[in-house]
Amino acid sequence: MSPRSASVNEELRRRSKERLLQAAVELVGEHGYDATTLGAIADRAGSARGLVSYYFPGKRQLVQSAVHRLMHRTLEEALEREPHTVEGRERMARAIDAILGLARDRPVLMRQHMAGLLQAEVGFVPCPEQRRLAELLRDTVARHGSQDVDRDYPMLRAQLMGAVFAALVPGVPMPVPRLRAELFERYRLDWELGVPPDTEAPGGTTCDTDLSRFFATGVLGRPDRTADQTDPAGRTPQSK
């Protein structure tokens, strides 16, 4: 059997990594962080277990990347949905609603994510998924009219993280509508902008259990998972 080309191997690795990210989000959302093992993530993704450590240094880094992927794709979807707009106040409202919506609809996942950020041994892990999230939020701040994005973006990020934390504190959670009202007042947004509480998000429900649209799945149109067993050199177990 002739070896696959470098471009095909790269595509197979990319898709394998995407499935690991999706599996991590699903399993942590279903069972929590501690009950989710790297082996279970690999099994859900249909990947060789050794590939997990090839792509990620550990479970916490994998989960952070996976949640940041979900966050930036959720935010991107909210910002670009129809009717499309470049109006800064509407885009800021959509951004706030998207992030608060994750806290409301996926509390287990987001609580575990926030807990991981506060762990001193790992803390905040920069990754491509996080950088894309930052780009979207910085653009939102700029479109909202900021004269100093470098100053105002970190404040928006802190405000959103604080609101998510407040919504998820066990025993004393603050209602999401109240947190939304505070943020809308801070950014001088009309309540009707974005997706007000008790309003269905355009295009479907606010909490879709199928996350596949946020993650590229499938292996070049093939139904089998053979490519997920590819090692960094592009070899399958049968070819070694």
Side-chain angles (χ1 to χ4, degrees), residues 124 130 134 137 152-162 187:
F124 180 79
Q130 182 276 326
L137 289 175
D152 294 335
Y153 156 67
M155 181 56 67
L156 173 62
R157 182 183 63 196
Q159 293 285 333
L160 291 173
M161 290 178 67
Y187 290 100

PDB file of all heavy atoms in Angstrom, residues 124 130 134 137 152-162 187:
ATOM      1  N   PHE A 124      -4.707  29.432  33.396  1.00  0.00           N
ATOM      2  CA  PHE A 124      -5.190  29.812  32.075  1.00  0.00           C
ATOM      3  C   PHE A 124      -4.189  29.344  31.029  1.00  0.00           C
ATOM      4  O   PHE A 124      -3.002  29.677  31.092  1.00  0.00           O
ATOM      5  CB  PHE A 124      -5.349  31.330  32.016  1.00  0.00           C
ATOM      6  CG  PHE A 124      -5.852  31.830  30.695  1.00  0.00           C
ATOM      7  CD1 PHE A 124      -7.184  31.752  30.362  1.00  0.00           C
ATOM      8  CD2 PHE A 124      -4.969  32.388  29.780  1.00  0.00           C
ATOM      9  CE1 PHE A 124      -7.647  32.213  29.142  1.00  0.00           C
ATOM     10  CE2 PHE A 124      -5.421  32.862  28.561  1.00  0.00           C
ATOM     11  CZ  PHE A 124      -6.757  32.775  28.238  1.00  0.00           C
ATOM     12  N   GLN A 130      -8.686  29.619  22.269  1.00  0.00           N
ATOM     13  CA  GLN A 130      -8.826  30.792  23.129  1.00  0.00           C
ATOM     14  C   GLN A 130      -8.494  32.062  22.358  1.00  0.00           C
ATOM     15  O   GLN A 130      -9.141  33.099  22.529  1.00  0.00           O
ATOM     16  CB  GLN A 130      -7.922  30.647  24.359  1.00  0.00           C
ATOM     17  CG  GLN A 130      -8.016  31.799  25.350  1.00  0.00           C
ATOM     18  CD  GLN A 130      -7.121  32.967  24.981  1.00  0.00           C
ATOM     19  OE1 GLN A 130      -6.032  32.764  24.430  1.00  0.00           O
ATOM     20  NE2 GLN A 130      -7.571  34.174  25.278  1.00  0.00           N
ATOM     21  N   ALA A 134     -10.798  35.373  21.830  1.00  0.00           N
ATOM     22  CA  ALA A 134     -10.337  36.717  22.141  1.00  0.00           C
ATOM     23  C   ALA A 134     -10.502  37.649  20.949  1.00  0.00           C
ATOM     24  O   ALA A 134     -10.902  38.813  21.103  1.00  0.00           O
ATOM     25  CB  ALA A 134      -8.878  36.677  22.585  1.00  0.00           C
ATOM     26  N   LEU A 137     -14.146  38.722  20.685  1.00  0.00           N
ATOM     27  CA  LEU A 137     -14.538  39.670  21.728  1.00  0.00           C
ATOM     28  C   LEU A 137     -13.875  41.034  21.512  1.00  0.00           C
ATOM     29  O   LEU A 137     -14.499  42.081  21.753  1.00  0.00           O
ATOM     30  CB  LEU A 137     -14.196  39.113  23.101  1.00  0.00           C
ATOM     31  CG  LEU A 137     -15.050  37.940  23.570  1.00  0.00           C
ATOM     32  CD1 LEU A 137     -14.532  37.390  24.897  1.00  0.00           C
ATOM     33  CD2 LEU A 137     -16.523  38.348  23.705  1.00  0.00           C
ATOM     34  N   ASP A 152     -10.300  48.069  27.066  1.00  0.00           N
ATOM     35  CA  ASP A 152     -11.702  47.688  27.244  1.00  0.00           C
ATOM     36  C   ASP A 152     -11.969  46.206  27.019  1.00  0.00           C
ATOM     37  O   ASP A 152     -12.904  45.647  27.608  1.00  0.00           O
ATOM     38  CB  ASP A 152     -12.588  48.524  26.306  1.00  0.00           C
ATOM     39  CG  ASP A 152     -12.564  49.996  26.673  1.00  0.00           C
ATOM     40  OD1 ASP A 152     -12.288  50.308  27.841  1.00  0.00           O
ATOM     41  OD2 ASP A 152     -12.815  50.838  25.781  1.00  0.00           O
ATOM     42  N   TYR A 153     -11.171  45.548  26.181  1.00  0.00           N
ATOM     43  CA  TYR A 153     -11.383  44.113  25.984  1.00  0.00           C
ATOM     44  C   TYR A 153     -11.162  43.316  27.264  1.00  0.00           C
ATOM     45  O   TYR A 153     -12.004  42.485  27.618  1.00  0.00           O
ATOM     46  CB  TYR A 153     -10.503  43.567  24.856  1.00  0.00           C
ATOM     47  CG  TYR A 153     -10.245  42.096  24.986  1.00  0.00           C
ATOM     48  CD1 TYR A 153     -11.281  41.170  24.840  1.00  0.00           C
ATOM     49  CD2 TYR A 153      -8.970  41.615  25.309  1.00  0.00           C
ATOM     50  CE1 TYR A 153     -11.044  39.806  24.997  1.00  0.00           C
ATOM     51  CE2 TYR A 153      -8.732  40.262  25.463  1.00  0.00           C
ATOM     52  CZ  TYR A 153      -9.778  39.362  25.311  1.00  0.00           C
ATOM     53  OH  TYR A 153      -9.551  38.019  25.482  1.00  0.00           O
ATOM     54  N   PRO A 154     -10.044  43.530  27.999  1.00  0.00           N
ATOM     55  CA  PRO A 154      -9.882  42.767  29.250  1.00  0.00           C
ATOM     56  C   PRO A 154     -11.009  43.015  30.247  1.00  0.00           C
ATOM     57  O   PRO A 154     -11.379  42.108  30.998  1.00  0.00           O
ATOM     58  CB  PRO A 154      -8.536  43.265  29.799  1.00  0.00           C
ATOM     59  CG  PRO A 154      -7.795  43.748  28.599  1.00  0.00           C
ATOM     60  CD  PRO A 154      -8.845  44.346  27.714  1.00  0.00           C
ATOM     61  N   MET A 155     -11.572  44.225  30.239  1.00  0.00           N
ATOM     62  CA  MET A 155     -12.675  44.499  31.149  1.00  0.00           C
ATOM     63  C   MET A 155     -13.926  43.719  30.743  1.00  0.00           C
ATOM     64  O   MET A 155     -14.615  43.150  31.602  1.00  0.00           O
ATOM     65  CB  MET A 155     -12.976  45.994  31.173  1.00  0.00           C
ATOM     66  CG  MET A 155     -14.109  46.382  32.134  1.00  0.00           C
ATOM     67  SD  MET A 155     -13.799  45.845  33.835  1.00  0.00           S
ATOM     68  CE  MET A 155     -12.391  46.900  34.252  1.00  0.00           C
ATOM     69  N   LEU A 156     -14.227  43.658  29.445  1.00  0.00           N
ATOM     70  CA  LEU A 156     -15.373  42.862  28.995  1.00  0.00           C
ATOM     71  C   LEU A 156     -15.155  41.398  29.350  1.00  0.00           C
ATOM     72  O   LEU A 156     -16.074  40.730  29.850  1.00  0.00           O
ATOM     73  CB  LEU A 156     -15.569  43.014  27.485  1.00  0.00           C
ATOM     74  CG  LEU A 156     -16.638  42.096  26.864  1.00  0.00           C
ATOM     75  CD1 LEU A 156     -18.018  42.378  27.443  1.00  0.00           C
ATOM     76  CD2 LEU A 156     -16.647  42.232  25.334  1.00  0.00           C
ATOM     77  N   ARG A 157     -13.965  40.885  29.106  1.00  0.00           N
ATOM     78  CA  ARG A 157     -13.664  39.492  29.439  1.00  0.00           C
ATOM     79  C   ARG A 157     -13.871  39.239  30.932  1.00  0.00           C
ATOM     80  O   ARG A 157     -14.474  38.230  31.328  1.00  0.00           O
ATOM     81  CB  ARG A 157     -12.222  39.174  29.048  1.00  0.00           C
ATOM     82  CG  ARG A 157     -11.804  37.724  29.309  1.00  0.00           C
ATOM     83  CD  ARG A 157     -10.340  37.519  28.951  1.00  0.00           C
ATOM     84  NE  ARG A 157      -9.481  38.345  29.796  1.00  0.00           N
ATOM     85  CZ  ARG A 157      -8.203  38.614  29.516  1.00  0.00           C
ATOM     86  NH1 ARG A 157      -7.653  38.144  28.406  1.00  0.00           N
ATOM     87  NH2 ARG A 157      -7.487  39.364  30.337  1.00  0.00           N
ATOM     88  N   ALA A 158     -13.389  40.170  31.765  1.00  0.00           N
ATOM     89  CA  ALA A 158     -13.546  40.005  33.210  1.00  0.00           C
ATOM     90  C   ALA A 158     -15.016  40.067  33.615  1.00  0.00           C
ATOM     91  O   ALA A 158     -15.462  39.299  34.487  1.00  0.00           O
ATOM     92  CB  ALA A 158     -12.751  41.085  33.946  1.00  0.00           C
ATOM     93  N   GLN A 159     -15.769  40.968  33.003  1.00  0.00           N
ATOM     94  CA  GLN A 159     -17.193  41.086  33.316  1.00  0.00           C
ATOM     95  C   GLN A 159     -17.938  39.801  32.939  1.00  0.00           C
ATOM     96  O   GLN A 159     -18.787  39.319  33.703  1.00  0.00           O
ATOM     97  CB  GLN A 159     -17.798  42.270  32.562  1.00  0.00           C
ATOM     98  CG  GLN A 159     -17.296  43.637  32.988  1.00  0.00           C
ATOM     99  CD  GLN A 159     -17.887  44.073  34.314  1.00  0.00           C
ATOM    100  OE1 GLN A 159     -18.983  43.667  34.684  1.00  0.00           O
ATOM    101  NE2 GLN A 159     -17.168  44.927  35.026  1.00  0.00           N
ATOM    102  N   LEU A 160     -17.625  39.233  31.785  1.00  0.00           N
ATOM    103  CA  LEU A 160     -18.300  38.009  31.360  1.00  0.00           C
ATOM    104  C   LEU A 160     -17.906  36.828  32.235  1.00  0.00           C
ATOM    105  O   LEU A 160     -18.763  36.025  32.624  1.00  0.00           O
ATOM    106  CB  LEU A 160     -17.960  37.713  29.894  1.00  0.00           C
ATOM    107  CG  LEU A 160     -18.552  38.678  28.858  1.00  0.00           C
ATOM    108  CD1 LEU A 160     -18.004  38.375  27.475  1.00  0.00           C
ATOM    109  CD2 LEU A 160     -20.072  38.603  28.852  1.00  0.00           C
ATOM    110  N   MET A 161     -16.622  36.715  32.558  1.00  0.00           N
ATOM    111  CA  MET A 161     -16.187  35.624  33.429  1.00  0.00           C
ATOM    112  C   MET A 161     -16.822  35.749  34.811  1.00  0.00           C
ATOM    113  O   MET A 161     -17.250  34.757  35.408  1.00  0.00           O
ATOM    114  CB  MET A 161     -14.665  35.623  33.544  1.00  0.00           C
ATOM    115  CG  MET A 161     -13.946  35.208  32.274  1.00  0.00           C
ATOM    116  SD  MET A 161     -12.136  35.267  32.425  1.00  0.00           S
ATOM    117  CE  MET A 161     -11.852  33.962  33.617  1.00  0.00           C
ATOM    118  N   GLY A 162     -16.898  36.984  35.320  1.00  0.00           N
ATOM    119  CA  GLY A 162     -17.525  37.187  36.618  1.00  0.00           C
ATOM    120  C   GLY A 162     -18.998  36.823  36.606  1.00  0.00           C
ATOM    121  O   GLY A 162     -19.518  36.236  37.569  1.00  0.00           O
ATOM    122  N   TYR A 187     -23.161  48.483  29.512  1.00  0.00           N
ATOM    123  CA  TYR A 187     -22.831  48.768  28.117  1.00  0.00           C
ATOM    124  C   TYR A 187     -23.931  49.545  27.391  1.00  0.00           C
ATOM    125  O   TYR A 187     -23.876  49.684  26.174  1.00  0.00           O
ATOM    126  CB  TYR A 187     -22.486  47.469  27.388  1.00  0.00           C
ATOM    127  CG  TYR A 187     -21.166  46.894  27.856  1.00  0.00           C
ATOM    128  CD1 TYR A 187     -21.120  45.854  28.780  1.00  0.00           C
ATOM    129  CD2 TYR A 187     -19.964  47.428  27.407  1.00  0.00           C
ATOM    130  CE1 TYR A 187     -19.902  45.348  29.226  1.00  0.00           C
ATOM    131  CE2 TYR A 187     -18.748  46.928  27.851  1.00  0.00           C
ATOM    132  CZ  TYR A 187     -18.722  45.893  28.767  1.00  0.00           C
ATOM    133  OH  TYR A 187     -17.516  45.405  29.215  1.00  0.00           O
TER     134      TYR A 187
END
